PDB file of all heavy atoms in Angstrom:
ATOM      1  N   HIS A   1     151.538 -12.767  15.209  1.00  0.00           N
ATOM      2  CA  HIS A   1     152.436 -11.641  15.584  1.00  0.00           C
ATOM      3  C   HIS A   1     153.260 -11.927  16.828  1.00  0.00           C
ATOM      4  O   HIS A   1     154.437 -11.533  16.916  1.00  0.00           O
ATOM      5  CB  HIS A   1     151.603 -10.387  15.772  1.00  0.00           C
ATOM      6  CG  HIS A   1     151.025  -9.822  14.543  1.00  0.00           C
ATOM      7  ND1 HIS A   1     151.788  -9.301  13.511  1.00  0.00           N
ATOM      8  CD2 HIS A   1     149.726  -9.714  14.127  1.00  0.00           C
ATOM      9  CE1 HIS A   1     151.015  -8.909  12.517  1.00  0.00           C
ATOM     10  NE2 HIS A   1     149.764  -9.113  12.868  1.00  0.00           N
ATOM     11  N   ALA A   2     152.687 -12.668  17.777  1.00  0.00           N
ATOM     12  CA  ALA A   2     153.377 -12.936  19.008  1.00  0.00           C
ATOM     13  C   ALA A   2     154.613 -13.825  18.710  1.00  0.00           C
ATOM     14  O   ALA A   2     155.677 -13.725  19.404  1.00  0.00           O
ATOM     15  CB  ALA A   2     152.459 -13.601  19.992  1.00  0.00           C
ATOM     16  N   LYS A   3     154.516 -14.706  17.756  1.00  0.00           N
ATOM     17  CA  LYS A   3     155.586 -15.585  17.420  1.00  0.00           C
ATOM     18  C   LYS A   3     156.381 -15.121  16.279  1.00  0.00           C
ATOM     19  O   LYS A   3     157.355 -15.795  15.824  1.00  0.00           O
ATOM     20  CB  LYS A   3     155.024 -16.997  17.117  1.00  0.00           C
ATOM     21  CG  LYS A   3     154.384 -17.663  18.306  1.00  0.00           C
ATOM     22  CD  LYS A   3     153.862 -19.036  17.949  1.00  0.00           C
ATOM     23  CE  LYS A   3     153.211 -19.737  19.115  1.00  0.00           C
ATOM     24  NZ  LYS A   3     152.777 -21.108  18.762  1.00  0.00           N
ATOM     25  N   ASN A   4     156.080 -13.941  15.678  1.00  0.00           N
ATOM     26  CA  ASN A   4     156.739 -13.380  14.504  1.00  0.00           C
ATOM     27  C   ASN A   4     156.868 -14.460  13.397  1.00  0.00           C
ATOM     28  O   ASN A   4     157.880 -14.637  12.803  1.00  0.00           O
ATOM     29  CB  ASN A   4     158.132 -12.926  14.910  1.00  0.00           C
ATOM     30  CG  ASN A   4     158.093 -11.848  15.969  1.00  0.00           C
ATOM     31  OD1 ASN A   4     157.363 -10.841  15.837  1.00  0.00           O
ATOM     32  ND2 ASN A   4     158.880 -12.021  17.035  1.00  0.00           N
ATOM     33  N   THR A   5     155.737 -15.123  13.150  1.00  0.00           N
ATOM     34  CA  THR A   5     155.702 -16.226  12.239  1.00  0.00           C
ATOM     35  C   THR A   5     154.579 -16.099  11.236  1.00  0.00           C
ATOM     36  O   THR A   5     153.494 -15.660  11.576  1.00  0.00           O
ATOM     37  CB  THR A   5     155.585 -17.550  13.034  1.00  0.00           C
ATOM     38  OG1 THR A   5     156.646 -17.686  13.901  1.00  0.00           O
ATOM     39  CG2 THR A   5     155.587 -18.697  12.050  1.00  0.00           C
ATOM     40  N   VAL A   6     154.863 -16.409   9.997  1.00  0.00           N
ATOM     41  CA  VAL A   6     153.836 -16.507   8.991  1.00  0.00           C
ATOM     42  C   VAL A   6     153.689 -17.893   8.491  1.00  0.00           C
ATOM     43  O   VAL A   6     154.715 -18.677   8.446  1.00  0.00           O
ATOM     44  CB  VAL A   6     154.120 -15.543   7.799  1.00  0.00           C
ATOM     45  CG1 VAL A   6     155.483 -15.932   7.112  1.00  0.00           C
ATOM     46  CG2 VAL A   6     152.986 -15.516   6.794  1.00  0.00           C
ATOM     47  N   TYR A   7     152.456 -18.363   8.213  1.00  0.00           N
ATOM     48  CA  TYR A   7     152.202 -19.738   7.823  1.00  0.00           C
ATOM     49  C   TYR A   7     151.588 -19.743   6.456  1.00  0.00           C
ATOM     50  O   TYR A   7     150.979 -18.794   5.983  1.00  0.00           O
ATOM     51  CB  TYR A   7     151.294 -20.415   8.776  1.00  0.00           C
ATOM     52  CG  TYR A   7     151.720 -20.364  10.265  1.00  0.00           C
ATOM     53  CD1 TYR A   7     151.332 -19.383  11.106  1.00  0.00           C
ATOM     54  CD2 TYR A   7     152.584 -21.335  10.785  1.00  0.00           C
ATOM     55  CE1 TYR A   7     151.722 -19.312  12.434  1.00  0.00           C
ATOM     56  CE2 TYR A   7     153.039 -21.335  12.087  1.00  0.00           C
ATOM     57  CZ  TYR A   7     152.581 -20.337  12.891  1.00  0.00           C
ATOM     58  OH  TYR A   7     153.034 -20.279  14.190  1.00  0.00           O
ATOM     59  N   LEU A   8     151.776 -20.863   5.803  1.00  0.00           N
ATOM     60  CA  LEU A   8     151.078 -21.168   4.500  1.00  0.00           C
ATOM     61  C   LEU A   8     150.543 -22.563   4.656  1.00  0.00           C
ATOM     62  O   LEU A   8     151.272 -23.536   4.610  1.00  0.00           O
ATOM     63  CB  LEU A   8     152.008 -21.034   3.310  1.00  0.00           C
ATOM     64  CG  LEU A   8     151.318 -21.221   1.989  1.00  0.00           C
ATOM     65  CD1 LEU A   8     150.360 -20.026   1.741  1.00  0.00           C
ATOM     66  CD2 LEU A   8     152.335 -21.304   0.862  1.00  0.00           C
ATOM     67  N   GLN A   9     149.216 -22.629   4.883  1.00  0.00           N
ATOM     68  CA  GLN A   9     148.548 -23.911   4.904  1.00  0.00           C
ATOM     69  C   GLN A   9     148.184 -24.292   3.465  1.00  0.00           C
ATOM     70  O   GLN A   9     147.460 -23.588   2.786  1.00  0.00           O
ATOM     71  CB  GLN A   9     147.290 -23.847   5.761  1.00  0.00           C
ATOM     72  CG  GLN A   9     146.472 -25.123   5.825  1.00  0.00           C
ATOM     73  CD  GLN A   9     147.210 -26.228   6.491  1.00  0.00           C
ATOM     74  OE1 GLN A   9     147.769 -26.047   7.569  1.00  0.00           O
ATOM     75  NE2 GLN A   9     147.204 -27.410   5.873  1.00  0.00           N
ATOM     76  N   MET A  10     148.692 -25.419   3.006  1.00  0.00           N
ATOM     77  CA  MET A  10     148.489 -25.850   1.647  1.00  0.00           C
ATOM     78  C   MET A  10     147.668 -27.161   1.639  1.00  0.00           C
ATOM     79  O   MET A  10     148.109 -28.132   2.147  1.00  0.00           O
ATOM     80  CB  MET A  10     149.802 -26.077   0.933  1.00  0.00           C
ATOM     81  CG  MET A  10     150.739 -24.854   0.989  1.00  0.00           C
ATOM     82  SD  MET A  10     152.268 -25.063   0.060  1.00  0.00           S
ATOM     83  CE  MET A  10     153.049 -26.399   0.988  1.00  0.00           C
ATOM     84  N   ASN A  11     146.461 -27.092   1.093  1.00  0.00           N
ATOM     85  CA  ASN A  11     145.593 -28.211   1.004  1.00  0.00           C
ATOM     86  C   ASN A  11     145.385 -28.656  -0.474  1.00  0.00           C
ATOM     87  O   ASN A  11     145.628 -27.870  -1.372  1.00  0.00           O
ATOM     88  CB  ASN A  11     144.241 -27.891   1.649  1.00  0.00           C
ATOM     89  CG  ASN A  11     144.346 -27.604   3.115  1.00  0.00           C
ATOM     90  OD1 ASN A  11     145.169 -28.164   3.792  1.00  0.00           O
ATOM     91  ND2 ASN A  11     143.540 -26.691   3.619  1.00  0.00           N
ATOM     92  N   SER A  12     144.855 -29.856  -0.693  1.00  0.00           N
ATOM     93  CA  SER A  12     144.579 -30.326  -2.026  1.00  0.00           C
ATOM     94  C   SER A  12     145.769 -30.095  -2.902  1.00  0.00           C
ATOM     95  O   SER A  12     145.628 -29.616  -4.070  1.00  0.00           O
ATOM     96  CB  SER A  12     143.307 -29.672  -2.575  1.00  0.00           C
ATOM     97  OG  SER A  12     142.216 -29.848  -1.712  1.00  0.00           O
ATOM     98  N   LEU A  13     146.913 -30.499  -2.501  1.00  0.00           N
ATOM     99  CA  LEU A  13     148.158 -30.256  -3.246  1.00  0.00           C
ATOM    100  C   LEU A  13     148.157 -31.006  -4.572  1.00  0.00           C
ATOM    101  O   LEU A  13     147.688 -32.148  -4.689  1.00  0.00           O
ATOM    102  CB  LEU A  13     149.348 -30.576  -2.408  1.00  0.00           C
ATOM    103  CG  LEU A  13     149.696 -29.521  -1.393  1.00  0.00           C
ATOM    104  CD1 LEU A  13     150.662 -30.133  -0.337  1.00  0.00           C
ATOM    105  CD2 LEU A  13     150.357 -28.331  -2.027  1.00  0.00           C
ATOM    106  N   LYS A  14     148.714 -30.389  -5.561  1.00  0.00           N
ATOM    107  CA  LYS A  14     148.782 -30.944  -6.883  1.00  0.00           C
ATOM    108  C   LYS A  14     150.266 -31.067  -7.325  1.00  0.00           C
ATOM    109  O   LYS A  14     151.080 -30.358  -6.795  1.00  0.00           O
ATOM    110  CB  LYS A  14     148.074 -30.064  -7.941  1.00  0.00           C
ATOM    111  CG  LYS A  14     146.618 -29.739  -7.598  1.00  0.00           C
ATOM    112  CD  LYS A  14     146.034 -28.727  -8.524  1.00  0.00           C
ATOM    113  CE  LYS A  14     144.624 -28.437  -8.235  1.00  0.00           C
ATOM    114  NZ  LYS A  14     144.054 -27.373  -9.160  1.00  0.00           N
ATOM    115  N   PRO A  15     150.580 -31.927  -8.235  1.00  0.00           N
ATOM    116  CA  PRO A  15     152.001 -32.022  -8.715  1.00  0.00           C
ATOM    117  C   PRO A  15     152.508 -30.726  -9.171  1.00  0.00           C
ATOM    118  O   PRO A  15     153.728 -30.447  -9.001  1.00  0.00           O
ATOM    119  CB  PRO A  15     151.867 -33.071  -9.824  1.00  0.00           C
ATOM    120  CG  PRO A  15     150.723 -33.928  -9.436  1.00  0.00           C
ATOM    121  CD  PRO A  15     149.751 -32.984  -8.821  1.00  0.00           C
ATOM    122  N   GLU A  16     151.718 -29.869  -9.777  1.00  0.00           N
ATOM    123  CA  GLU A  16     152.174 -28.591 -10.286  1.00  0.00           C
ATOM    124  C   GLU A  16     152.509 -27.591  -9.142  1.00  0.00           C
ATOM    125  O   GLU A  16     153.073 -26.519  -9.410  1.00  0.00           O
ATOM    126  CB  GLU A  16     151.152 -27.946 -11.244  1.00  0.00           C
ATOM    127  CG  GLU A  16     149.758 -27.929 -10.699  1.00  0.00           C
ATOM    128  CD  GLU A  16     148.907 -29.124 -11.203  1.00  0.00           C
ATOM    129  OE1 GLU A  16     149.439 -30.227 -11.211  1.00  0.00           O
ATOM    130  OE2 GLU A  16     147.755 -28.874 -11.597  1.00  0.00           O
ATOM    131  N   ASP A  17     152.199 -27.961  -7.945  1.00  0.00           N
ATOM    132  CA  ASP A  17     152.631 -27.138  -6.788  1.00  0.00           C
ATOM    133  C   ASP A  17     154.055 -27.432  -6.380  1.00  0.00           C
ATOM    134  O   ASP A  17     154.635 -26.701  -5.513  1.00  0.00           O
ATOM    135  CB  ASP A  17     151.708 -27.404  -5.554  1.00  0.00           C
ATOM    136  CG  ASP A  17     150.271 -26.938  -5.776  1.00  0.00           C
ATOM    137  OD1 ASP A  17     150.057 -25.864  -6.349  1.00  0.00           O
ATOM    138  OD2 ASP A  17     149.386 -27.691  -5.399  1.00  0.00           O
ATOM    139  N   THR A  18     154.683 -28.387  -6.986  1.00  0.00           N
ATOM    140  CA  THR A  18     156.051 -28.702  -6.674  1.00  0.00           C
ATOM    141  C   THR A  18     156.954 -27.558  -7.016  1.00  0.00           C
ATOM    142  O   THR A  18     156.996 -27.036  -8.137  1.00  0.00           O
ATOM    143  CB  THR A  18     156.501 -29.965  -7.432  1.00  0.00           C
ATOM    144  OG1 THR A  18     155.715 -31.112  -7.024  1.00  0.00           O
ATOM    145  CG2 THR A  18     157.986 -30.289  -7.218  1.00  0.00           C
ATOM    146  N   ALA A  19     157.720 -27.111  -6.004  1.00  0.00           N
ATOM    147  CA  ALA A  19     158.615 -26.005  -6.177  1.00  0.00           C
ATOM    148  C   ALA A  19     159.395 -25.753  -4.918  1.00  0.00           C
ATOM    149  O   ALA A  19     159.120 -26.402  -3.894  1.00  0.00           O
ATOM    150  CB  ALA A  19     157.833 -24.705  -6.512  1.00  0.00           C
ATOM    151  N   VAL A  20     160.336 -24.893  -4.939  1.00  0.00           N
ATOM    152  CA  VAL A  20     160.989 -24.355  -3.774  1.00  0.00           C
ATOM    153  C   VAL A  20     160.133 -23.152  -3.306  1.00  0.00           C
ATOM    154  O   VAL A  20     159.946 -22.221  -4.077  1.00  0.00           O
ATOM    155  CB  VAL A  20     162.421 -23.967  -3.962  1.00  0.00           C
ATOM    156  CG1 VAL A  20     163.065 -23.395  -2.739  1.00  0.00           C
ATOM    157  CG2 VAL A  20     163.230 -25.214  -4.423  1.00  0.00           C
ATOM    158  N   TYR A  21     159.721 -23.188  -2.060  1.00  0.00           N
ATOM    159  CA  TYR A  21     158.925 -22.075  -1.536  1.00  0.00           C
ATOM    160  C   TYR A  21     159.759 -21.216  -0.643  1.00  0.00           C
ATOM    161  O   TYR A  21     160.533 -21.710   0.213  1.00  0.00           O
ATOM    162  CB  TYR A  21     157.789 -22.704  -0.713  1.00  0.00           C
ATOM    163  CG  TYR A  21     156.658 -23.205  -1.569  1.00  0.00           C
ATOM    164  CD1 TYR A  21     156.861 -24.415  -2.285  1.00  0.00           C
ATOM    165  CD2 TYR A  21     155.455 -22.555  -1.666  1.00  0.00           C
ATOM    166  CE1 TYR A  21     155.862 -24.881  -3.117  1.00  0.00           C
ATOM    167  CE2 TYR A  21     154.405 -23.008  -2.474  1.00  0.00           C
ATOM    168  CZ  TYR A  21     154.638 -24.212  -3.183  1.00  0.00           C
ATOM    169  OH  TYR A  21     153.632 -24.723  -3.973  1.00  0.00           O
ATOM    170  N   TYR A  22     159.690 -19.904  -0.898  1.00  0.00           N
ATOM    171  CA  TYR A  22     160.506 -18.936  -0.211  1.00  0.00           C
ATOM    172  C   TYR A  22     159.623 -18.000   0.628  1.00  0.00           C
ATOM    173  O   TYR A  22     158.713 -17.456   0.112  1.00  0.00           O
ATOM    174  CB  TYR A  22     161.342 -18.079  -1.168  1.00  0.00           C
ATOM    175  CG  TYR A  22     162.314 -18.838  -1.966  1.00  0.00           C
ATOM    176  CD1 TYR A  22     161.989 -19.415  -3.205  1.00  0.00           C
ATOM    177  CD2 TYR A  22     163.634 -18.984  -1.496  1.00  0.00           C
ATOM    178  CE1 TYR A  22     162.909 -20.095  -3.958  1.00  0.00           C
ATOM    179  CE2 TYR A  22     164.565 -19.716  -2.298  1.00  0.00           C
ATOM    180  CZ  TYR A  22     164.207 -20.273  -3.465  1.00  0.00           C
ATOM    181  OH  TYR A  22     165.143 -20.946  -4.206  1.00  0.00           O
ATOM    182  N   CYS A  23     160.039 -17.830   1.828  1.00  0.00           N
ATOM    183  CA  CYS A  23     159.349 -16.816   2.682  1.00  0.00           C
ATOM    184  C   CYS A  23     159.899 -15.459   2.365  1.00  0.00           C
ATOM    185  O   CYS A  23     161.129 -15.283   2.088  1.00  0.00           O
ATOM    186  CB  CYS A  23     159.609 -17.155   4.156  1.00  0.00           C
ATOM    187  SG  CYS A  23     158.870 -15.979   5.358  1.00  0.00           S
ATOM    188  N   ASN A  24     159.067 -14.482   2.386  1.00  0.00           N
ATOM    189  CA  ASN A  24     159.483 -13.072   2.079  1.00  0.00           C
ATOM    190  C   ASN A  24     158.853 -12.173   3.086  1.00  0.00           C
ATOM    191  O   ASN A  24     157.662 -12.265   3.433  1.00  0.00           O
ATOM    192  CB  ASN A  24     159.067 -12.679   0.687  1.00  0.00           C
ATOM    193  CG  ASN A  24     159.298 -11.176   0.393  1.00  0.00           C
ATOM    194  OD1 ASN A  24     158.397 -10.356   0.538  1.00  0.00           O
ATOM    195  ND2 ASN A  24     160.511 -10.888  -0.024  1.00  0.00           N
ATOM    196  N   VAL A  25     159.681 -11.207   3.583  1.00  0.00           N
ATOM    197  CA  VAL A  25     159.185 -10.214   4.501  1.00  0.00           C
ATOM    198  C   VAL A  25     159.621  -8.857   3.996  1.00  0.00           C
ATOM    199  O   VAL A  25     160.772  -8.657   3.561  1.00  0.00           O
ATOM    200  CB  VAL A  25     159.738 -10.396   5.933  1.00  0.00           C
ATOM    201  CG1 VAL A  25     159.448  -9.234   6.817  1.00  0.00           C
ATOM    202  CG2 VAL A  25     159.125 -11.681   6.582  1.00  0.00           C
ATOM    203  N   GLU A  26     158.698  -7.945   3.973  1.00  0.00           N
ATOM    204  CA  GLU A  26     158.987  -6.562   3.564  1.00  0.00           C
ATOM    205  C   GLU A  26     159.030  -5.708   4.800  1.00  0.00           C
ATOM    206  O   GLU A  26     158.041  -5.643   5.598  1.00  0.00           O
ATOM    207  CB  GLU A  26     157.956  -6.026   2.618  1.00  0.00           C
ATOM    208  CG  GLU A  26     158.246  -4.614   2.121  1.00  0.00           C
ATOM    209  CD  GLU A  26     157.178  -4.143   1.130  1.00  0.00           C
ATOM    210  OE1 GLU A  26     156.865  -4.878   0.159  1.00  0.00           O
ATOM    211  OE2 GLU A  26     156.622  -3.051   1.288  1.00  0.00           O
ATOM    212  N   ARG A  27     160.086  -4.989   5.023  1.00  0.00           N
ATOM    213  CA  ARG A  27     160.284  -4.067   6.108  1.00  0.00           C
ATOM    214  C   ARG A  27     160.900  -2.780   5.535  1.00  0.00           C
ATOM    215  O   ARG A  27     162.010  -2.838   5.012  1.00  0.00           O
ATOM    216  CB  ARG A  27     161.113  -4.688   7.204  1.00  0.00           C
ATOM    217  CG  ARG A  27     161.323  -3.734   8.377  1.00  0.00           C
ATOM    218  CD  ARG A  27     162.201  -4.378   9.435  1.00  0.00           C
ATOM    219  NE  ARG A  27     162.338  -3.490  10.624  1.00  0.00           N
ATOM    220  CZ  ARG A  27     163.279  -2.606  10.761  1.00  0.00           C
ATOM    221  NH1 ARG A  27     164.208  -2.441   9.773  1.00  0.00           N
ATOM    222  NH2 ARG A  27     163.347  -1.864  11.837  1.00  0.00           N
ATOM    223  N   ARG A  28     160.193  -1.709   5.711  1.00  0.00           N
ATOM    224  CA  ARG A  28     160.661  -0.390   5.252  1.00  0.00           C
ATOM    225  C   ARG A  28     161.124  -0.468   3.771  1.00  0.00           C
ATOM    226  O   ARG A  28     162.146   0.056   3.365  1.00  0.00           O
ATOM    227  CB  ARG A  28     161.841   0.081   6.135  1.00  0.00           C
ATOM    228  CG  ARG A  28     161.398   0.352   7.559  1.00  0.00           C
ATOM    229  CD  ARG A  28     162.584   0.862   8.418  1.00  0.00           C
ATOM    230  NE  ARG A  28     162.152   1.127   9.796  1.00  0.00           N
ATOM    231  CZ  ARG A  28     161.660   2.315  10.177  1.00  0.00           C
ATOM    232  NH1 ARG A  28     161.515   3.280   9.310  1.00  0.00           N
ATOM    233  NH2 ARG A  28     161.306   2.490  11.494  1.00  0.00           N
ATOM    234  N   LYS A  29     160.317  -1.094   2.968  1.00  0.00           N
ATOM    235  CA  LYS A  29     160.459  -1.196   1.540  1.00  0.00           C
ATOM    236  C   LYS A  29     161.677  -2.072   1.149  1.00  0.00           C
ATOM    237  O   LYS A  29     162.187  -1.989  -0.009  1.00  0.00           O
ATOM    238  CB  LYS A  29     160.571   0.200   0.896  1.00  0.00           C
ATOM    239  CG  LYS A  29     159.325   1.016   1.121  1.00  0.00           C
ATOM    240  CD  LYS A  29     158.086   0.360   0.554  1.00  0.00           C
ATOM    241  CE  LYS A  29     156.822   1.144   0.850  1.00  0.00           C
ATOM    242  NZ  LYS A  29     156.771   2.351   0.005  1.00  0.00           N
ATOM    243  N   ILE A  30     162.228  -2.853   2.061  1.00  0.00           N
ATOM    244  CA  ILE A  30     163.339  -3.738   1.795  1.00  0.00           C
ATOM    245  C   ILE A  30     162.815  -5.191   1.941  1.00  0.00           C
ATOM    246  O   ILE A  30     162.123  -5.468   2.937  1.00  0.00           O
ATOM    247  CB  ILE A  30     164.490  -3.494   2.684  1.00  0.00           C
ATOM    248  CG1 ILE A  30     165.067  -2.065   2.496  1.00  0.00           C
ATOM    249  CG2 ILE A  30     165.615  -4.509   2.477  1.00  0.00           C
ATOM    250  CD1 ILE A  30     166.173  -1.705   3.440  1.00  0.00           C
ATOM    251  N   ASN A  31     163.162  -6.018   0.969  1.00  0.00           N
ATOM    252  CA  ASN A  31     162.686  -7.398   1.014  1.00  0.00           C
ATOM    253  C   ASN A  31     163.764  -8.307   1.640  1.00  0.00           C
ATOM    254  O   ASN A  31     164.942  -8.192   1.326  1.00  0.00           O
ATOM    255  CB  ASN A  31     162.356  -7.859  -0.390  1.00  0.00           C
ATOM    256  CG  ASN A  31     161.051  -7.275  -0.948  1.00  0.00           C
ATOM    257  OD1 ASN A  31     160.115  -7.138  -0.197  1.00  0.00           O
ATOM    258  ND2 ASN A  31     161.078  -6.893  -2.200  1.00  0.00           N
ATOM    259  N   TYR A  32     163.311  -9.200   2.417  1.00  0.00           N
ATOM    260  CA  TYR A  32     164.177 -10.176   3.059  1.00  0.00           C
ATOM    261  C   TYR A  32     163.671 -11.616   2.675  1.00  0.00           C
ATOM    262  O   TYR A  32     162.427 -11.788   2.637  1.00  0.00           O
ATOM    263  CB  TYR A  32     164.232 -10.090   4.574  1.00  0.00           C
ATOM    264  CG  TYR A  32     164.736  -8.713   5.018  1.00  0.00           C
ATOM    265  CD1 TYR A  32     163.934  -7.587   5.182  1.00  0.00           C
ATOM    266  CD2 TYR A  32     166.117  -8.520   5.301  1.00  0.00           C
ATOM    267  CE1 TYR A  32     164.422  -6.400   5.572  1.00  0.00           C
ATOM    268  CE2 TYR A  32     166.600  -7.306   5.657  1.00  0.00           C
ATOM    269  CZ  TYR A  32     165.730  -6.232   5.820  1.00  0.00           C
ATOM    270  OH  TYR A  32     166.262  -5.013   6.194  1.00  0.00           O
ATOM    271  N   TRP A  33     164.571 -12.462   2.460  1.00  0.00           N
ATOM    272  CA  TRP A  33     164.256 -13.805   1.923  1.00  0.00           C
ATOM    273  C   TRP A  33     164.800 -14.921   2.809  1.00  0.00           C
ATOM    274  O   TRP A  33     165.877 -14.818   3.394  1.00  0.00           O
ATOM    275  CB  TRP A  33     164.801 -14.033   0.514  1.00  0.00           C
ATOM    276  CG  TRP A  33     164.262 -13.088  -0.478  1.00  0.00           C
ATOM    277  CD1 TRP A  33     164.758 -11.862  -0.830  1.00  0.00           C
ATOM    278  CD2 TRP A  33     163.082 -13.222  -1.265  1.00  0.00           C
ATOM    279  NE1 TRP A  33     163.960 -11.269  -1.829  1.00  0.00           N
ATOM    280  CE2 TRP A  33     162.946 -12.116  -2.076  1.00  0.00           C
ATOM    281  CE3 TRP A  33     162.156 -14.291  -1.372  1.00  0.00           C
ATOM    282  CZ2 TRP A  33     161.897 -11.930  -3.019  1.00  0.00           C
ATOM    283  CZ3 TRP A  33     161.088 -14.134  -2.313  1.00  0.00           C
ATOM    284  CH2 TRP A  33     160.945 -12.968  -3.080  1.00  0.00           C
ATOM    285  N   GLY A  34     163.952 -15.981   2.905  1.00  0.00           N
ATOM    286  CA  GLY A  34     164.483 -17.159   3.522  1.00  0.00           C
ATOM    287  C   GLY A  34     165.282 -18.010   2.559  1.00  0.00           C
ATOM    288  O   GLY A  34     165.363 -17.642   1.370  1.00  0.00           O
ATOM    289  N   GLN A  35     165.813 -19.077   3.023  1.00  0.00           N
ATOM    290  CA  GLN A  35     166.656 -19.964   2.218  1.00  0.00           C
ATOM    291  C   GLN A  35     165.841 -20.819   1.218  1.00  0.00           C
ATOM    292  O   GLN A  35     166.341 -21.338   0.234  1.00  0.00           O
ATOM    293  CB  GLN A  35     167.510 -20.845   3.062  1.00  0.00           C
ATOM    294  CG  GLN A  35     168.584 -20.055   3.821  1.00  0.00           C
ATOM    295  CD  GLN A  35     169.634 -19.459   2.924  1.00  0.00           C
ATOM    296  OE1 GLN A  35     170.136 -20.084   1.995  1.00  0.00           O
ATOM    297  NE2 GLN A  35     169.866 -18.145   3.133  1.00  0.00           N
TER     298      GLN A  35
END
């Protein structure tokens, strides 16, 4: 919270995990997306 940051630690990665990963934040029922 202090850094306003969310993390995703991904271990034991598999080829099927290959994708574009998007960050999403919900604020007041509105969704915001990263690139």
Side-chain angles (χ1 to χ4, degrees):
H1 291 293
K3 297 181 179 180
N4 302 309
T5 301
V6 62
Y7 305 94
L8 185 67
Q9 179 66 46
M10 305 185 295
N11 298 324
S12 302
L13 283 163
K14 305 175 181 178
E16 49 263 43
D17 294 318
T18 296
V20 177
Y21 285 71
Y22 296 90
C23 179
N24 173 267
V25 170
E26 181 180 310
R27 180 180 183 272
R28 296 182 178 271
K29 302 301 179 70
I30 298 176
N31 289 318
Y32 299 87
W33 298 92
Q35 292 295 310

